[in-house]
Amino acid sequence: MMETEWLSVVMQGSFSEIYIIDCSTLHFFHVNRSACANLQYSEDELIGKTLIEIAKSLTMESLEQALRLLRTGLTTQIALEAIHTRKDGSTYPIEFRFLQCQLSSHPVFIAIGNDISSQRASAEALFDSESRFRAIAASSPGLVYQFLRRADGSIAFPYLSEGCPALLGVTVEQLRADPSLFLALILPEDRPSYKDSMASSIDSMKSWNWEGRVWIEAWKDIKWINLRSTPRVLADGSLQWDGIMTNITQSKLEEAEIKRSRTQLAELSAHIETVKEQERTRIAREIHDDLGGNLTAIKMALALLTRRLPASEPELAEKAGYVNALVDRTIEATHRIAGDLRPGMLDFGLAAAIEWQIKEFEKQTGIPCLFSSNKKDIELDLDKATALFRIFQETLTNVAKHAQADSVIVRLVRTNRNLHLEITDNGCGITPVDRLKPKSFGIRGMMERASALGGRFSIGPLPEGGTAVAIKLPLPTA
C-alpha cells in the first residue's frame, strides 16, 4: 500500500480534523471527512485554501512564527489554538497539533485538530462555579474550609476562606503552612472532645459537629467556635471534611446568662417555698397553741357555766348548747386549717402522711385510692418530705378538679439511691395543650419544687387512658 493510501485510510477513520498542508505554500492539498463535516465545506472546496482562511483568528505572521520551530527542527511538534469559521459563519474553538513529515519526497505539515467547545464550556462552568463558591465563602459569617487527614495520620487544610484571620487570628498562609496550629489554638480542656468528635465522624462517616473554645493570641481572648463538616473518602484513601466554622461566642454567653438567670430563679423559687413553709409552720403552731388553747379554755368555761344555769331557764341552756357546738366546730376548723398549713402527720414519716392524705381525699371526693409502699418508714429530710408531700397534694387536687377519674393508684418506692413517687388515674388524660396553658401554675410549681430538690418531675397521658405523674428524687449516699 502506497503511503498516500494508508494516510488516507488513517485520515478518514479519525474523528479529529486532519489537514495535509504544503510546507512552502501552506495550502491544503488533502483534508479528511471530519474536517469537511465540521466546517460544512466539501473536500474540493477546502483544497487549495490556507489555515488563515478558515481560522480567521490567526495571522500569517503568528502561523509562520509557530511553524518556524518545525521548519528548523527545534521541535517535533507544536500546539496551537484557533477559532474556526464554518461556511454558515458560525465559529468554534479548535486545538491543533502540527507535525512535519516527508510525503513522497515532499515535506508537508500534518495538522490534527480537535473541537474544544465542550472543554471550554466545562472550564467556563467550573470557573463560574468556583467564582460563586468563593463569593459565597467570602461573604459567609465564618470560615469555610477543607480539612484533610491522610492515611499516615498527617493533616492539611487544602482550602481556607478569607474568614480565617477574623475567626482564628491567624492567616490562611500560616494555617496551611502549619496545620497543627489549629489544635494548638484549642484550649487544653476542650481538645479531648475535639479529637473524640473527629474519631466518631471517622468511624460512622457522618457529619463532624463540635463546639469548643480557642485562644486567640492576637486579641488575648477566648472564642467559642462551632465546627460542622461532612466527610468523604478520596481516591488515595485520605479522608477530607468540607465544612464551616462559625463564631458562637455571643450565643454561648447568652446561653450562660440564661442558665445563670434560671438558676437564680430556681434558687429564689426554692427560697420562697422554704420561707412559705416556715411561715405556714409558724402560723399553724400559733393557731394550734394560741387559738386552739383559747378555744379549749372557752369550752371548759362554757361547760362550767352550763352546769350552773338554773333549770328554770331552758332557753339559756339551749343557747349554751348552741355556743358549745359552735366552739366544737371552730376547734375542728382550727385543726383542719393548721393541718393544711403544716401537716402534722409528716412527723410520723412521709408514707404515713401520704396515707393520711389519701384517706382525706377519699372522704372529700369519694374516689377510691389504692396506696402501696415498699418501705413503711422512709427517712427523709423534713424540707424534702414537705416539698414532696406538697407535690402529692397538688396532684390529688388536679385529679379532683380535672381528671374525671373514678380510681387513683399511688406507689411509693425507695431504692438505695432514689425515692420514686408515682400517681396514676384512669381519667380523661392530660394533653400537651393542657401543659402549655399560660396559667397552668400548678404543674409549673410541681416542676419547680422537684427541680429545687434535684429531682425529676414528669407528667403525661397513659396509653390506656388517664394520667401519670412521677417524681424521682435522688437520696444522699450513705
Side-chain angles (χ1 to χ4, degrees), residues 166-222:
L167 182 65
L168 301 177
V170 296
T171 65
V172 171
E173 293 74 20
Q174 287 175 313
L175 192 52
R176 294 192 71 177
D178 184 11
S180 64
L181 185 59
F182 179 71
L183 184 61
L185 293 175
I186 300 174
L187 296 189
E189 52 267 38
D190 289 355
R191 288 174 194 167
S193 66
Y194 171 80
K195 293 178 180 178
D196 290 344
S197 61
M198 182 199 298
S200 176
S201 179
I202 293 172
D203 293 340
S204 64
M205 283 305 293
K206 293 182 179 178
S207 296
W208 181 7
N209 298 327
W210 176 76
E211 290 182 357
R213 295 164 294 173
V214 295
W215 170 254
I216 310 299
E217 180 63 29
W219 306 308
K220 306 297 182 184
D221 193 18
I222 292 175

Side-chain angles (χ1 to χ4, degrees), residues 2 38 40 102 135 182 293 296 344 349 360 366 382 384 409 413 422:
M2 299 292 291
N38 289 348
Q40 301 173 349
Q102 201 75 15
F182 179 71
T296 302
E360 292 295 309
L382 183 58
K384 290 183 178 181
I409 298 175
V413 178
E422 183 182 61

Side-chain angles (χ1 to χ4, degrees), residues 150-372:
R150 301 184 183 93
D152 60 2
S154 61
I155 61 172
F157 286 96
Y159 175 77
L160 293 163
S161 71
E162 295 304 317
C164 187
L167 182 65
L168 301 177
V170 296
T171 65
V172 171
E173 293 74 20
Q174 287 175 313
L175 192 52
R176 294 192 71 177
D178 184 11
S180 64
L181 185 59
F182 179 71
L183 184 61
L185 293 175
I186 300 174
L187 296 189
E189 52 267 38
D190 289 355
R191 288 174 194 167
S193 66
Y194 171 80
K195 293 178 180 178
D196 290 344
S197 61
M198 182 199 298
S200 176
S201 179
I202 293 172
D203 293 340
S204 64
M205 283 305 293
K206 293 182 179 178
S207 296
W208 181 7
N209 298 327
W210 176 76
E211 290 182 357
R213 295 164 294 173
V214 295
W215 170 254
I216 310 299
E217 180 63 29
W219 306 308
K220 306 297 182 184
D221 193 18
I222 292 175
K223 275 187 181 180
W224 275 92
I225 64 169
N226 174 253
L227 176 156
R228 291 179 179 272
S229 57
T230 304
R232 58 191 174 98
V233 179
L234 304 184
D236 62 356
S238 301
L239 192 60
Q240 179 171 296
W241 286 268
D242 304 306
I244 185 170
M245 298 181 204
T246 52
N247 182 359
I248 59 170
T249 304
Q250 187 60 37
S251 64
K252 280 292 182 180
L253 292 176
E254 292 171 356
E255 181 182 329
E257 178 61 24
I258 290 171
K259 285 182 178 179
R260 188 181 69 83
S261 298
R262 286 179 176 173
T263 301
Q264 289 179 335
L265 286 173
E267 290 173 352
L268 178 60
S269 176
H271 175 69
I272 291 172
E273 289 298 332
T274 300
V275 171
K276 188 191 298 183
E277 289 297 338
Q278 290 172 349
E279 187 66 10
R280 282 174 170 174
T281 300
R282 184 187 66 80
I283 295 172
R285 186 177 298 114
E286 289 184 359
I287 290 174
H288 182 272
D289 295 344
D290 296 342
L291 188 57
N294 291 339
L295 286 170
T296 302
I298 291 171
K299 184 174 176 64
M300 292 173 65
L302 183 62
L304 179 62
L305 290 173
T306 302
R307 284 197 299 271
R308 293 182 178 182
L309 287 175
S312 60
E313 298 186 31
E315 291 181 359
L316 290 177
E318 183 181 349
K319 288 187 178 293
Y322 170 76
V323 173
N324 187 60
L326 183 61
V327 171
D328 287 339
R329 289 199 300 273
T330 304
I331 291 173
E332 184 181 345
T334 300
H335 289 163
R336 177 176 53 78
I337 293 170
D340 288 341
L341 286 170
R342 199 271 176 182
M345 288 300 296
L346 279 172
D347 295 334
F348 299 96
L350 180 63
I354 289 176
E355 193 167 10
W356 170 80
Q357 185 64 58
I358 284 173
K359 290 177 181 177
E360 292 295 309
F361 173 77
E362 289 179 328
K363 286 180 189 177
Q364 295 169 10
T365 64
I367 301 173
C369 190
L370 179 64
F371 173 64
S372 64

